[in-house]
Amino acid sequence: MQRRARARAAVVGLVFLGSALLSGCVEVPVSDPAPDSVPELAPQQELAAMPELPASELQTYGGDTAAFLTENRNTYCVITTEQGGIIDSPADPRLSGGQRDDAVLEVPAVYCELARYPEPAEVADDCHGTNLGFKGGTVLLTSSGVAYGGCRVGMTLMEAELGPGSDGGESPLARLPVLEDGLAVELNGFRCGSAGRGMVCVESETGHGFTASADAFEIIAPDEGAER
């Protein structure tokens, strides 16, 4: 008798459950749809969204140049001018030496050096026919485009003063004002800012620019980028 009662109860339960499903009384839980992923901003979009620091706070040398360090002390940049390879950098007078060619137009420029940096993917200069000495760690941005690396013997000033194994001390570069992460500065048609991907600089009129960090260098052109 007990077996029959249990069997009868089971049948009644199944009938009740079926009726409930047909009548719509039982709610079937449905998981929430996955939230849409937020698209990653392009470097120039990230730069444009950064709050702006007044350029005057980085013009410690006076004049129309602004020189600064990144917060991680891996990059220094100067927004300045360039004339035939001669760069007006108050932080490194060696770059300003040499004979100026007045037949060459002086143009606004951004020059940066890195303490730790990737090697160039392409050698853009045969270094006076030697095919030796083309190294990374320097960036020059003008309205004409971007150049990464160059011919040199030894280290850059940034590499020597703030690179691996150096103590920094009271060197001229160590005393530069710091452009904090997430802030941008704009001067002479250039906008530069420091973010998670490294230093980002763009020439506002043409859209040419770059990102540079210890691990990667990337050229930015309008609507396109190429990993170097």
Side-chain angles (χ1 to χ4, degrees), residues 24-43:
C25 294
V26 176
E27 295 183 1
V28 179
V30 178
S31 59
D32 294 332
D36 294 335
S37 59
V38 179
E40 183 179 359
L41 293 178

Side-chain angles (χ1 to χ4, degrees), residues 15-140:
V15 171
F16 176 78
L17 177 60
S19 300
L21 289 172
L22 292 174
S23 64
C25 294
V26 176
E27 295 183 1
V28 179
V30 178
S31 59
D32 294 332
D36 294 335
S37 59
V38 179
E40 183 179 359
L41 293 178
Q44 56 269 49
Q45 294 173 322
E46 185 178 11
L47 178 62
M50 291 180 186
E52 190 171 317
L53 182 72
S56 58
E57 295 193 21
L58 303 177
Q59 292 177 295
T60 54
Y61 288 94
D64 295 327
T65 65
F68 51 89
L69 272 177
T70 54
E71 195 169 334
N72 65 2
R73 292 167 63 93
N74 189 60
T75 309
Y76 109 83
C77 293
V78 56
I79 304 176
T80 182
T81 59
E82 183 268 343
Q83 184 180 21
I86 297 176
I87 299 161
D88 184 12
S89 174
D92 186 358
R94 296 178 303 173
L95 297 171
S96 305
Q99 182 65 40
R100 291 182 179 267
D101 185 355
D102 293 334
V104 177
L105 184 65
E106 186 178 46
V107 297
V110 172
Y111 175 78
C112 298
E113 287 184 7
L114 289 83
R116 290 170 288 111
Y117 52 84
E119 289 302 319
E122 297 178 3
V123 176
D125 194 319
D126 67 3
C127 300
H128 307 289
T130 65
N131 293 312
L132 298 171
F134 190 89
K135 302 177 181 180
T138 63
V139 191
L140 180 65

Side-chain angles (χ1 to χ4, degrees), residues 67-78 91 110-118 137-140 148 156-159 161-163 173-174 176-181 192-201 210-217:
F68 51 89
L69 272 177
T70 54
E71 195 169 334
N72 65 2
R73 292 167 63 93
N74 189 60
T75 309
Y76 109 83
C77 293
V78 56
V110 172
Y111 175 78
C112 298
E113 287 184 7
L114 289 83
R116 290 170 288 111
Y117 52 84
T138 63
V139 191
L140 180 65
Y148 179 65
T156 63
L157 184 63
M158 183 68 183
E159 198 173 357
E161 293 189 356
L162 297 176
L173 293 182
L176 287 176
V178 172
L179 180 62
E180 295 180 1
D181 290 347
C192 293
S194 181
R197 67 181 80 229
M199 175 57 64
V200 185
C201 289
F210 67 87
T211 67
S213 69
D215 302 316
F217 175 78

